[in-house]
PDB file of all heavy atoms in Angstrom:
ATOM      1  N   PHE A  10      -4.312   3.022  -3.446  1.00 98.00           N
ATOM      2  CA  PHE A  10      -5.310   2.689  -2.379  1.00 98.00           C
ATOM      3  C   PHE A  10      -6.637   3.240  -2.845  1.00 98.00           C
ATOM      4  O   PHE A  10      -6.723   4.107  -3.706  1.00 98.00           O
ATOM      5  CB  PHE A  10      -4.920   3.211  -0.970  1.00 98.00           C
ATOM      6  CG  PHE A  10      -4.759   4.713  -0.883  1.00 98.00           C
ATOM      7  CD1 PHE A  10      -5.900   5.515  -0.501  1.00 98.00           C
ATOM      8  CD2 PHE A  10      -3.650   5.348  -1.199  1.00 98.00           C
ATOM      9  CE1 PHE A  10      -5.781   6.859  -0.389  1.00 98.00           C
ATOM     10  CE2 PHE A  10      -3.462   6.739  -1.062  1.00 98.00           C
ATOM     11  CZ  PHE A  10      -4.556   7.520  -0.670  1.00 98.00           C
ATOM     12  N   VAL A  15     -15.316   8.701   3.368  1.00 96.00           N
ATOM     13  CA  VAL A  15     -16.045   7.930   4.383  1.00 96.00           C
ATOM     14  C   VAL A  15     -16.802   8.868   5.312  1.00 96.00           C
ATOM     15  O   VAL A  15     -16.208   9.860   5.769  1.00 96.00           O
ATOM     16  CB  VAL A  15     -15.053   7.073   5.168  1.00 96.00           C
ATOM     17  CG1 VAL A  15     -15.749   6.371   6.311  1.00 96.00           C
ATOM     18  CG2 VAL A  15     -14.334   6.046   4.249  1.00 96.00           C
ATOM     19  N   ASN A  20     -18.557   4.931  13.066  1.00 97.00           N
ATOM     20  CA  ASN A  20     -17.454   4.446  13.991  1.00 97.00           C
ATOM     21  C   ASN A  20     -16.666   3.441  13.130  1.00 97.00           C
ATOM     22  O   ASN A  20     -17.142   2.305  12.838  1.00 97.00           O
ATOM     23  CB  ASN A  20     -18.075   3.757  15.193  1.00 97.00           C
ATOM     24  CG  ASN A  20     -16.981   3.228  16.066  1.00 97.00           C
ATOM     25  OD1 ASN A  20     -16.017   2.586  15.606  1.00 97.00           O
ATOM     26  ND2 ASN A  20     -17.177   3.410  17.369  1.00 97.00           N
ATOM     27  N   VAL A  76       3.620  -4.925   5.490  1.00 98.00           N
ATOM     28  CA  VAL A  76       4.156  -4.539   4.217  1.00 98.00           C
ATOM     29  C   VAL A  76       3.969  -5.557   3.102  1.00 98.00           C
ATOM     30  O   VAL A  76       3.544  -6.693   3.414  1.00 98.00           O
ATOM     31  CB  VAL A  76       5.680  -4.088   4.367  1.00 98.00           C
ATOM     32  CG1 VAL A  76       5.744  -2.768   5.195  1.00 98.00           C
ATOM     33  CG2 VAL A  76       6.495  -5.161   5.034  1.00 98.00           C
ATOM     34  N   ARG A 116      24.025 -15.584  -6.909  1.00 98.00           N
ATOM     35  CA  ARG A 116      23.819 -17.009  -6.558  1.00 98.00           C
ATOM     36  C   ARG A 116      24.521 -17.944  -7.536  1.00 98.00           C
ATOM     37  O   ARG A 116      25.165 -18.889  -7.101  1.00 98.00           O
ATOM     38  CB  ARG A 116      22.298 -17.236  -6.601  1.00 98.00           C
ATOM     39  CG  ARG A 116      21.860 -18.581  -5.983  1.00 98.00           C
ATOM     40  CD  ARG A 116      20.402 -18.862  -6.206  1.00 98.00           C
ATOM     41  NE  ARG A 116      20.222 -19.386  -7.578  1.00 98.00           N
ATOM     42  CZ  ARG A 116      19.344 -20.274  -7.954  1.00 98.00           C
ATOM     43  NH1 ARG A 116      18.523 -20.788  -6.968  1.00 98.00           N
ATOM     44  NH2 ARG A 116      19.189 -20.699  -9.158  1.00 98.00           N
ATOM     45  N   ILE A 123      24.297 -23.025  -0.185  1.00 98.00           N
ATOM     46  CA  ILE A 123      22.834 -23.105   0.139  1.00 98.00           C
ATOM     47  C   ILE A 123      22.348 -21.642   0.346  1.00 98.00           C
ATOM     48  O   ILE A 123      23.116 -20.886   0.874  1.00 98.00           O
ATOM     49  CB  ILE A 123      22.524 -24.049   1.267  1.00 98.00           C
ATOM     50  CG1 ILE A 123      21.072 -24.469   1.322  1.00 98.00           C
ATOM     51  CG2 ILE A 123      22.927 -23.458   2.589  1.00 98.00           C
ATOM     52  CD1 ILE A 123      20.744 -25.663   2.306  1.00 98.00           C
ATOM     53  N   TYR A 127      16.089 -14.138   4.394  1.00 94.00           N
ATOM     54  CA  TYR A 127      15.209 -13.587   5.351  1.00 94.00           C
ATOM     55  C   TYR A 127      13.862 -13.321   4.545  1.00 94.00           C
ATOM     56  O   TYR A 127      13.877 -12.973   3.376  1.00 94.00           O
ATOM     57  CB  TYR A 127      15.847 -12.209   5.741  1.00 94.00           C
ATOM     58  CG  TYR A 127      15.317 -11.523   6.908  1.00 94.00           C
ATOM     59  CD1 TYR A 127      14.803 -12.214   7.975  1.00 94.00           C
ATOM     60  CD2 TYR A 127      15.400 -10.145   6.950  1.00 94.00           C
ATOM     61  CE1 TYR A 127      14.374 -11.523   9.115  1.00 94.00           C
ATOM     62  CE2 TYR A 127      15.016  -9.438   8.119  1.00 94.00           C
ATOM     63  CZ  TYR A 127      14.456 -10.106   9.147  1.00 94.00           C
ATOM     64  OH  TYR A 127      14.045  -9.487  10.298  1.00 94.00           O
ATOM     65  N   ILE A 150      17.285 -21.998  11.918  1.00 98.00           N
ATOM     66  CA  ILE A 150      17.445 -22.436  10.546  1.00 98.00           C
ATOM     67  C   ILE A 150      18.891 -22.619  10.132  1.00 98.00           C
ATOM     68  O   ILE A 150      19.254 -23.653   9.538  1.00 98.00           O
ATOM     69  CB  ILE A 150      16.747 -21.316   9.565  1.00 98.00           C
ATOM     70  CG1 ILE A 150      15.275 -21.190   9.893  1.00 98.00           C
ATOM     71  CG2 ILE A 150      16.997 -21.650   8.116  1.00 98.00           C
ATOM     72  CD1 ILE A 150      14.391 -22.308   9.548  1.00 98.00           C
ATOM     73  N   ILE A 154      21.352 -26.480   9.250  1.00 98.00           N
ATOM     74  CA  ILE A 154      22.155 -26.750   8.025  1.00 98.00           C
ATOM     75  C   ILE A 154      23.508 -27.406   8.495  1.00 98.00           C
ATOM     76  O   ILE A 154      24.187 -26.865   9.348  1.00 98.00           O
ATOM     77  CB  ILE A 154      22.417 -25.451   7.205  1.00 98.00           C
ATOM     78  CG1 ILE A 154      21.069 -24.875   6.767  1.00 98.00           C
ATOM     79  CG2 ILE A 154      23.315 -25.756   6.046  1.00 98.00           C
ATOM     80  CD1 ILE A 154      21.148 -23.467   6.175  1.00 98.00           C
ATOM     81  N   GLY A 169      22.771 -10.843   9.119  1.00 98.00           N
ATOM     82  CA  GLY A 169      23.693 -11.837   8.620  1.00 98.00           C
ATOM     83  C   GLY A 169      24.992 -11.833   9.471  1.00 98.00           C
ATOM     84  O   GLY A 169      25.496 -12.873   9.896  1.00 98.00           O
ATOM     85  N   ASN A 170      25.545 -10.600   9.717  1.00 97.00           N
ATOM     86  CA  ASN A 170      26.765 -10.492  10.473  1.00 97.00           C
ATOM     87  C   ASN A 170      26.571 -10.954  11.955  1.00 97.00           C
ATOM     88  O   ASN A 170      27.412 -11.577  12.547  1.00 97.00           O
ATOM     89  CB  ASN A 170      27.336  -9.090  10.458  1.00 97.00           C
ATOM     90  CG  ASN A 170      27.794  -8.746   8.986  1.00 97.00           C
ATOM     91  OD1 ASN A 170      28.158  -9.650   8.219  1.00 97.00           O
ATOM     92  ND2 ASN A 170      27.830  -7.479   8.658  1.00 97.00           N
ATOM     93  N   LYS A 209      17.358  -0.649  30.414  1.00 98.00           N
ATOM     94  CA  LYS A 209      18.092  -1.663  29.619  1.00 98.00           C
ATOM     95  C   LYS A 209      17.795  -1.341  28.169  1.00 98.00           C
ATOM     96  O   LYS A 209      16.702  -0.919  27.781  1.00 98.00           O
ATOM     97  CB  LYS A 209      17.503  -3.067  29.896  1.00 98.00           C
ATOM     98  CG  LYS A 209      17.896  -3.556  31.312  1.00 98.00           C
ATOM     99  CD  LYS A 209      17.437  -4.998  31.539  1.00 98.00           C
ATOM    100  CE  LYS A 209      17.894  -5.360  33.001  1.00 98.00           C
ATOM    101  NZ  LYS A 209      17.286  -6.597  33.404  1.00 98.00           N
ATOM    102  N   SER A 224      23.524  -3.169  23.692  1.00 98.00           N
ATOM    103  CA  SER A 224      22.238  -3.701  24.070  1.00 98.00           C
ATOM    104  C   SER A 224      22.323  -4.796  25.131  1.00 98.00           C
ATOM    105  O   SER A 224      23.260  -5.641  25.059  1.00 98.00           O
ATOM    106  CB  SER A 224      21.492  -4.219  22.819  1.00 98.00           C
ATOM    107  OG  SER A 224      21.172  -3.164  22.002  1.00 98.00           O
ATOM    108  N   ILE A 227      18.994  -8.771  22.520  1.00 98.00           N
ATOM    109  CA  ILE A 227      18.807  -8.597  21.099  1.00 98.00           C
ATOM    110  C   ILE A 227      17.783  -9.699  20.659  1.00 98.00           C
ATOM    111  O   ILE A 227      17.950 -10.850  21.034  1.00 98.00           O
ATOM    112  CB  ILE A 227      20.128  -8.873  20.316  1.00 98.00           C
ATOM    113  CG1 ILE A 227      21.274  -7.903  20.810  1.00 98.00           C
ATOM    114  CG2 ILE A 227      19.938  -8.763  18.792  1.00 98.00           C
ATOM    115  CD1 ILE A 227      22.615  -8.305  20.320  1.00 98.00           C
ATOM    116  N   CYS A 276      12.603  13.858  15.668  1.00 76.00           N
ATOM    117  CA  CYS A 276      11.603  12.886  16.224  1.00 76.00           C
ATOM    118  C   CYS A 276      12.223  12.109  17.352  1.00 76.00           C
ATOM    119  O   CYS A 276      13.372  11.705  17.263  1.00 76.00           O
ATOM    120  CB  CYS A 276      11.068  11.970  15.135  1.00 76.00           C
ATOM    121  SG  CYS A 276      10.245  12.809  13.886  1.00 76.00           S
ATOM    122  N   ASN A 288      -4.040   3.025   7.435  1.00 98.00           N
ATOM    123  CA  ASN A 288      -4.880   3.553   8.521  1.00 98.00           C
ATOM    124  C   ASN A 288      -6.249   3.033   8.463  1.00 98.00           C
ATOM    125  O   ASN A 288      -6.572   2.205   7.566  1.00 98.00           O
ATOM    126  CB  ASN A 288      -4.935   5.151   8.388  1.00 98.00           C
ATOM    127  CG  ASN A 288      -5.426   5.659   7.017  1.00 98.00           C
ATOM    128  OD1 ASN A 288      -6.375   5.059   6.519  1.00 98.00           O
ATOM    129  ND2 ASN A 288      -4.790   6.688   6.455  1.00 98.00           N
ATOM    130  N   LYS A 297     -14.306  -2.903   1.922  1.00 98.00           N
ATOM    131  CA  LYS A 297     -15.604  -2.592   1.297  1.00 98.00           C
ATOM    132  C   LYS A 297     -15.481  -2.860  -0.212  1.00 98.00           C
ATOM    133  O   LYS A 297     -16.367  -3.506  -0.838  1.00 98.00           O
ATOM    134  CB  LYS A 297     -15.933  -1.124   1.517  1.00 98.00           C
ATOM    135  CG  LYS A 297     -17.254  -0.663   0.967  1.00 98.00           C
ATOM    136  CD  LYS A 297     -17.575   0.701   1.492  1.00 98.00           C
ATOM    137  CE  LYS A 297     -18.795   1.272   0.743  1.00 98.00           C
ATOM    138  NZ  LYS A 297     -19.040   2.669   1.070  1.00 98.00           N
ATOM    139  N   GLU A 302      -5.725  -5.836  -4.383  1.00 98.00           N
ATOM    140  CA  GLU A 302      -5.511  -7.305  -4.130  1.00 98.00           C
ATOM    141  C   GLU A 302      -4.063  -7.586  -4.485  1.00 98.00           C
ATOM    142  O   GLU A 302      -3.478  -7.077  -5.413  1.00 98.00           O
ATOM    143  CB  GLU A 302      -6.506  -8.087  -5.021  1.00 98.00           C
ATOM    144  CG  GLU A 302      -6.407  -9.495  -4.719  1.00 98.00           C
ATOM    145  CD  GLU A 302      -7.482 -10.388  -5.457  1.00 98.00           C
ATOM    146  OE1 GLU A 302      -8.375  -9.776  -6.135  1.00 98.00           O
ATOM    147  OE2 GLU A 302      -7.337 -11.644  -5.375  1.00 98.00           O
ATOM    148  N   VAL A 305       0.543 -13.033  -7.144  1.00 98.00           N
ATOM    149  CA  VAL A 305       1.862 -13.561  -7.461  1.00 98.00           C
ATOM    150  C   VAL A 305       1.710 -14.469  -8.651  1.00 98.00           C
ATOM    151  O   VAL A 305       0.867 -15.338  -8.600  1.00 98.00           O
ATOM    152  CB  VAL A 305       2.416 -14.366  -6.231  1.00 98.00           C
ATOM    153  CG1 VAL A 305       3.811 -14.762  -6.511  1.00 98.00           C
ATOM    154  CG2 VAL A 305       2.373 -13.503  -4.952  1.00 98.00           C
ATOM    155  N   ALA A 313       8.425 -20.092  -4.917  1.00 98.00           N
ATOM    156  CA  ALA A 313       8.654 -19.309  -3.634  1.00 98.00           C
ATOM    157  C   ALA A 313       8.033 -20.132  -2.435  1.00 98.00           C
ATOM    158  O   ALA A 313       8.475 -19.930  -1.298  1.00 98.00           O
ATOM    159  CB  ALA A 313       8.004 -17.989  -3.713  1.00 98.00           C
ATOM    160  N   ARG A 319       9.599 -24.935   3.806  1.00 97.00           N
ATOM    161  CA  ARG A 319      10.811 -25.573   4.487  1.00 97.00           C
ATOM    162  C   ARG A 319      11.059 -24.868   5.839  1.00 97.00           C
ATOM    163  O   ARG A 319      11.348 -25.484   6.855  1.00 97.00           O
ATOM    164  CB  ARG A 319      11.948 -25.480   3.546  1.00 97.00           C
ATOM    165  CG  ARG A 319      13.149 -26.435   3.902  1.00 97.00           C
ATOM    166  CD  ARG A 319      14.117 -26.494   2.791  1.00 97.00           C
ATOM    167  NE  ARG A 319      13.791 -27.454   1.733  1.00 97.00           N
ATOM    168  CZ  ARG A 319      14.077 -27.290   0.438  1.00 97.00           C
ATOM    169  NH1 ARG A 319      14.700 -26.182   0.021  1.00 97.00           N
ATOM    170  NH2 ARG A 319      13.700 -28.133  -0.474  1.00 97.00           N
TER     171      ARG A 319
END
Side-chain angles (χ1 to χ4, degrees):
F10 64 91
V15 172
N20 179 316
V76 290
R116 191 188 81 144
I123 196 168
Y127 194 31
I150 298 291
I154 299 169
N170 293 335
K209 290 184 179 169
S224 292
I227 303 168
C276 296
N288 56 42
K297 185 171 170 187
E302 189 175 348
V305 182
R319 196 168 279 145

